Amino acid sequence: MRLRAAMIGSGLALALLAGTAAIAQQTQKVTVAVTAIVEHPALDATRDGVKKALEEAGYKDGTNLTFRYESAQGSPATAAQIAQKFAGENPNVIVAIATPSAQAMVTATQTIPVVFTAVTDPVAAQIVKDRQAPGGNVTGISDFSPLEAQFDLIKELVPSAKKIGVVYNPGEANSVALLNAVKALAPARNLQIVEASAGRTADVSAAAQSLVGKVDAIYLPTDNTIISALGTVLAVGTDNKLPVFTGDTESVQKGSVASIGFDYFQVGVETGAVVVRVLKGEKPGTIPVSNASGSNLVINAKAAAAMGVTIPAAVQARAKQVIN
């Protein structure tokens, strides 16, 4: 009896120790460091979605989570500095938002888990070698735009369009990948693509202005440099009755005519779910890179009217949101 009691007592003690260890593991404070190449609506929404996913998984900033965020303010050099800083601080996971920040981060560390997001083509950008088996310390979420649907929408809203101007930064790998894809799909839609490059935010207005009189509409890809100066392109569009379309729906809120694109808050939530998997012990290199899910049609009726576009009732009926 004494032996049996001792065994039971020992078992209870072990159970209590295991339970205490589990609680300690759940309450152990972790650090997630987040960096983005620049602040604009889509990337800000992505960051907020990551934080929301962490909260829903039980990681609360200020209690068992330290959530750090730094923006490179559009500078690749600053992105590299932030990457080196984060690597030196050794957080549990680093989240890199957009291609330039992800490139800087994977150069800075080969040991700290890195989860990238809002990256158009992670293989072409040399962030991972293989989407299905990324290997090493990196994985993430790709946001390659639904370009065919976007350009079909442009043709539907501007049926007479023959030439589409694309403003892009040739220094952003994601933007170059999107431009090449746009050029490939244009002939089937009887469209000609007219390029206007802007390597800096300060060059965006002049690039947009150079398209006036040469094109029937302007398309802005999910290019961080260009979207950071969105207002200057919208001003050109409004002043010249030249419709401006964007690759992200957040920019429609700011005044572009329309887009079929991702909800970047949801992209952030999906990214945060990957971060949680890593925090719970999965190796990033074993988690396949996934595509952001879903796409929504968003229309800005007020902007459309200002730029000379009439939105058919059938298109408005398909929209998830119409901004008046």
Side-chain angles (χ1 to χ4, degrees):
M1 290 294 289
R2 287 180 182 176
L3 178 61
R4 184 178 179 187
M7 292 176 63
I8 292 171
S10 176
L12 287 171
L14 287 171
L16 285 170
L17 284 171
T20 302
I23 292 168
Q25 187 175 12
Q26 289 173 0
T27 59
Q28 183 181 9
K29 196 161 189 176
V30 299
T31 298
V32 175
V34 182
T35 181
I37 186 61
V38 74
E39 291 174 300
H40 64 63
L43 301 192
D44 294 349
T46 305
R47 175 200 62 211
D48 295 344
V50 170
K51 192 171 186 181
K52 180 66 173 177
L54 288 168
E55 289 175 355
E56 290 181 346
Y59 297 96
K60 300 191 182 299
D61 193 17
T63 55
N64 60 343
L65 168 69
T66 298
F67 188 90
R68 294 202 51 215
Y69 171 73
E70 290 196 26
S71 166
Q73 302 298 329
S75 167
T78 303
Q81 290 171 3
I82 293 170
Q84 291 293 338
K85 179 181 177 182
F86 280 0
E89 293 173 352
N90 197 32
N92 296 86
V93 180
I94 297 170
V95 178
I97 303 176
T99 301
S101 286
Q103 289 172 318
M105 207 63 255
V106 299
T107 299
T109 180
Q110 285 76 53
T111 56
I112 301 169
V114 175
V115 178
F116 64 79
T117 188
V119 170
T120 298
D121 190 338
V123 175
Q126 299 182 335
I127 296 167
V128 296
K129 293 182 179 179
D130 187 283
R131 290 173 62 105
Q132 289 303 309
N137 62 318
V138 185
T139 190
I141 303 289
S142 173
D143 68 339
F144 201 99
S145 298
L147 295 174
E148 293 195 357
Q150 290 175 351
F151 275 75
D152 287 343
L153 177 66
I154 293 173
K155 285 290 289 183
E156 191 171 8
L157 296 182
V158 190
S160 61
K162 299 296 182 186
K163 295 182 179 181
I164 307 296
V166 178
V167 186
Y168 76 106
N169 177 2
E172 284 199 27
N174 58 300
S175 201
V176 174
L178 289 168
L179 175 66
N180 290 336
V182 164
K183 288 160 72 172
L185 64 81
R189 291 160 178 78
N190 296 315
L191 292 172
Q192 179 182 338
I193 301 302
V194 180
E195 301 174 26
S197 64
R200 304 173 303 156
T201 301
D203 302 329
V204 174
S205 179
Q209 194 66 47
S210 73
L211 295 170
V212 175
K214 299 178 183 178
V215 300
D216 305 302
I218 292 175
Y219 174 77
L220 306 181
T222 51
D223 179 309
N224 302 294
T225 301
I226 308 306
I227 298 301
S228 295
L230 175 65
T232 63
V233 184
L234 297 178
V236 171
T238 301
D239 291 345
N240 296 279
K241 296 288 185 182
L242 183 60
V244 177
F245 296 87
T246 51
D248 68 287
T249 57
E250 279 76 9
S251 293
V252 182
Q253 304 277 356
K254 297 294 184 180
S256 68
V257 173
S259 183
I260 295 175
F262 303 114
D263 176 339
Y264 274 85
F265 182 82
Q266 184 59 36
V267 172
V269 170
E270 293 174 18
T271 305
V274 177
V275 174
V276 170
R277 290 173 65 182
V278 175
L279 288 173
K280 290 185 175 180
E282 288 191 58
K283 302 295 184 184
T286 66
I287 302 174
V289 173
S290 58
N291 292 314
S293 63
S295 59
N296 302 316
L297 168 59
V298 179
I299 296 166
N300 191 320
K302 183 178 179 181
M307 296 181 195
V309 175
T310 300
I311 307 294
V315 177
Q316 290 205 36
R318 298 203 313 265
K320 180 178 181 180
Q321 182 180 11
V322 178
I323 303 161
N324 292 300

